[in-house]
């Protein structure tokens, strides 16, 4: 029987091409269908950062087919937890939502070597989030 009470998490950054894509991919990878995952950007890029795609592939998570998405109020309304990563005042704040702001460097314009520590920090934070909102989902 599917879990219909799964938490819903929205990751938001400016371009939806790096940090929020990595966070969404890690949460999906670690929690599976126990958590509904969305990501979006306040000013989405055309494509996901290639260095981010490469860094994620190194840890066995394929995001090569992901596409940056625009942040909508509907996405915020449909989420229980909204995690922002540098989108500032452009992120809509709605009552009844839990907001977390993760201060992480922007991988835009950086090579894969600079993206790895950002990726690793995001994975660490996602593992903590999984322990909190979907503990049975962690492998």
């Amino acid at each position: 029987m599917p879990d219909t009470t799964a938490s819903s998490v929205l990751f938001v950054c400016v371009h939806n091409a790096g940090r929020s894509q990595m966070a969404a991919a890690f949460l999906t990878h670690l929690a599976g269908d126990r958590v509904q995952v969305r990501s979006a950007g306040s000013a989405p890029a055309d494509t996901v950062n290639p260095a981010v795609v490469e860094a994620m592939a190194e840890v066995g998570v394929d995001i090569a087919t992901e596409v940056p998405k625009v942040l909508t109020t509907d996405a915020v309304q449909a989420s229980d937890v909204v995690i922002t990563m540098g989108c500032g005042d452009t992120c809509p704040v709605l009552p009844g939502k839990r907001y977390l702001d993760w201060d992480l460097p922007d991988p835009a314009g950086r090579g894969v070597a600079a993206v790895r520590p950002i990726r690793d920090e995001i994975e660490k934070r996602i593992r903590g989030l999984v322990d909190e909102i979907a503990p049975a989902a962690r492998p």
Side-chain angles (χ1 to χ4, degrees):
M1 183 172 181
D3 181 1
T4 56
T5 62
S7 293
S8 177
V9 179
L10 170 64
F11 296 99
V12 183
C13 65
V14 176
H15 301 296
N16 190 223
R19 296 167 289 187
S20 56
Q21 289 284 352
M22 287 189 281
F26 273 128
L27 185 54
T28 299
H29 180 73
L30 294 169
D33 62 1
R34 292 184 46 89
V35 178
Q36 295 175 357
V37 181
R38 296 176 181 82
S39 71
S42 53
D46 293 331
T47 61
V48 174
N49 179 333
V52 167
V53 172
E54 183 178 341
M56 292 299 286
E58 290 175 353
V59 295
V61 180
D62 182 7
I63 62 169
T65 60
E66 293 299 324
V67 176
K69 295 165 274 312
V70 69
L71 175 64
T72 64
T73 302
D74 288 345
V76 176
Q77 287 175 331
S79 302
D80 302 313
V81 181
V82 179
I83 299 175
T84 58
M85 304 174 196
C87 68
D89 295 337
T90 61
C91 294
V93 176
L94 301 175
K97 306 297 173 189
R98 177 177 172 204
Y99 288 88
L100 300 172
D101 184 50
W102 290 357
D103 186 14
L104 297 161
D106 188 347
R110 299 179 185 212
V112 71
V115 172
R116 286 183 189 116
I118 301 167
R119 174 203 65 203
D120 295 346
E121 177 62 23
I122 289 172
E123 181 181 14
K124 183 177 99 179
R125 292 181 189 207
I126 292 298
R127 287 185 181 278
L129 184 67
V130 169
D131 286 345
E132 180 185 334
I133 66 173
R138 185 168 176 185

